[in-house]
Amino acid sequence: MSLTTARRGAPATDSTTAIVAPHHRGGPTKRPTTIAGIALRTPYWVLTAALALLFLYPLIWTAISSVSPLAGTNQTDGWGFGNYITLANYQAGIWVYLFNSTFVSLLTVLLTLTISLLGGYAFARFRFPGKDLLFLSTLAILMVPYATLLIPLYVLLNTVGLSNSLVGVALVLTMFQLPFSMFMMRISFESIPRELDEAAMVDGCSAWTVLWRVLVPAVKPGLITVGLFAFLAAWNDFMAPLILINDSNKMTLPLAISNLRGQVQGVVDYGATEAGVVVLALPCILLFLILQRHYVRGFMSGAFKG
């Protein structure tokens, strides 16, 4: 029997039915695929949830301890903010130390962004003698242990009159941020096609105009990443203020919290210490959450550069 006869209504054989019957797709076949997908993703979910709890547990424990009653602290009866009151009234007051930390951090961010932006632009777009050697010399700072450079830097700052100065601390922290920042900005600029520069120059733009009006908006994620790293490093740094600052009124918040720990005959005030850790962590957490999208894009700059 032919296929034409089968289509006109004649009884079709099994072979004809096999030819005419439409192929059934979908339906029950999707359920095993969905179950298999869930089974494959479950270990990933379990692992990420366990890692999230692992990293969040110290923060949660610290926040609870800062307001819970602890023996030997200013918060002994019930839950409250007695430990924060102790922290606020310590020596010059927490607002002085917050101002010092904010000043050092913002100045470090400003200097790091300015120098790394100009340096990254020069390394990525210009050719000059010794460019690669100079770039490798900048990266070589990462190979030197941080603490070993502080004493020579202290002597240098004392020579130029910047010892026991918040500006001197910011300059030192900027120096240690430059290798990563310079590398980050160089790959950010190199990920942008040079045709963009050439098109702007054809329209009459100078190198400075191309940088500020064309390239800076394009490397914004890289700038945010560099600024975020510089802020976190300067805000939480303890070693540089410890070596370079002698005046108690110029201490940054990490140094003040460290001194607060053993202020009474060497006995550690855990409650005030936990309160200080919460105050230190809050700006970092908020800033990271706000800039997280740009931070991830900044790290991806140049990742797919051909």
Side-chain angles (χ1 to χ4, degrees), residues 51-76:
L51 289 175
L53 291 176
L54 180 65
F55 285 105
L56 288 176
Y57 173 76
L59 296 176
I60 297 173
W61 183 86
T62 301
I64 294 175
S65 300
S66 66
V67 295
S68 61
L70 293 173
T73 67
N74 200 28
Q75 186 65 40
T76 55

Side-chain angles (χ1 to χ4, degrees), residues 5-299:
T5 307
R7 288 181 176 174
R8 289 177 179 176
T13 61
D14 293 339
S15 60
T16 306
T17 304
I19 297 174
V20 177
H23 179 66
H24 184 71
R25 297 178 180 178
T29 57
K30 291 184 178 181
R31 184 175 182 82
T33 303
T34 304
I35 295 175
I38 294 175
L40 290 174
R41 289 192 296 268
T42 298
Y44 170 77
W45 292 337
V46 172
L47 179 61
T48 53
L51 289 175
L53 291 176
L54 180 65
F55 285 105
L56 288 176
Y57 173 76
L59 296 176
I60 297 173
W61 183 86
T62 301
I64 294 175
S65 300
S66 66
V67 295
S68 61
L70 293 173
T73 67
N74 200 28
Q75 186 65 40
T76 55
D77 298 325
W79 300 73
F81 296 95
N83 295 321
Y84 289 91
I85 295 174
T86 302
L87 177 65
N89 297 327
Y90 175 66
Q91 289 189 359
I94 190 174
W95 297 111
V96 174
Y97 304 129
L98 279 174
F99 172 80
N100 295 340
S101 290
T102 304
F103 177 81
V104 170
S105 301
L106 293 181
L107 184 57
T108 302
V109 170
L110 178 62
L111 294 174
T112 302
L113 287 178
T114 303
I115 298 174
S116 62
L117 175 66
L118 299 177
Y121 178 55
F123 281 122
R125 286 297 193 260
F126 296 101
R127 295 180 179 178
F128 52 89
K131 182 179 76 171
D132 294 334
L133 180 61
L134 181 59
F135 185 70
L136 290 176
S137 300
T138 304
L139 295 181
I141 300 177
L142 293 173
M143 305 177 189
V144 182
Y146 174 60
T148 59
L149 294 177
L150 287 177
I151 300 302
L153 288 173
Y154 174 80
V155 175
L156 176 63
L157 292 176
N158 190 36
T159 303
V160 298
L162 288 176
S163 62
N164 194 31
S165 168
L166 296 178
V167 176
V169 175
L171 290 175
V172 170
L173 294 175
T174 300
M175 186 200 71
F176 287 111
Q177 287 300 307
L178 282 181
F180 167 78
S181 303
M182 201 77 72
F183 173 78
M184 191 72 196
M185 293 312 303
R186 179 176 182 175
I187 64 174
S188 296
F189 280 113
E190 288 179 346
S191 66
I192 302 172
R194 289 181 177 269
E195 289 78 6
L196 200 62
D197 307 36
E198 296 171 356
M201 289 182 177
V202 169
D203 292 337
C205 295
S206 64
W208 283 102
T209 307
V210 171
L211 173 63
W212 294 113
R213 295 190 177 182
V214 179
L215 296 180
V216 167
V219 297
K220 180 181 176 182
L223 286 172
I224 292 177
T225 303
V226 168
L228 181 60
F229 262 78
F231 178 85
L232 295 179
W235 180 264
N236 295 301
D237 190 82
F238 171 78
M239 187 67 68
L242 177 65
I243 301 298
L244 303 176
I245 297 296
N246 300 323
D247 189 353
S248 61
N249 292 330
K250 295 182 179 180
M251 291 190 303
T252 57
L253 190 56
L255 188 56
I257 293 173
S258 176
N259 291 338
L260 173 64
R261 291 178 68 247
Q263 63 173 331
V264 182
Q265 296 180 353
V267 178
V268 178
D269 189 343
Y270 288 104
T273 303
E274 302 298 342
V277 171
V278 172
V279 173
L280 269 175
L282 277 178
C284 301
I285 295 173
L286 293 176
L287 192 62
F288 180 82
L289 292 177
I290 293 172
L291 302 177
Q292 181 181 11
R293 178 169 58 91
H294 301 285
Y295 167 78
V296 174
R297 288 178 58 193
F299 262 121

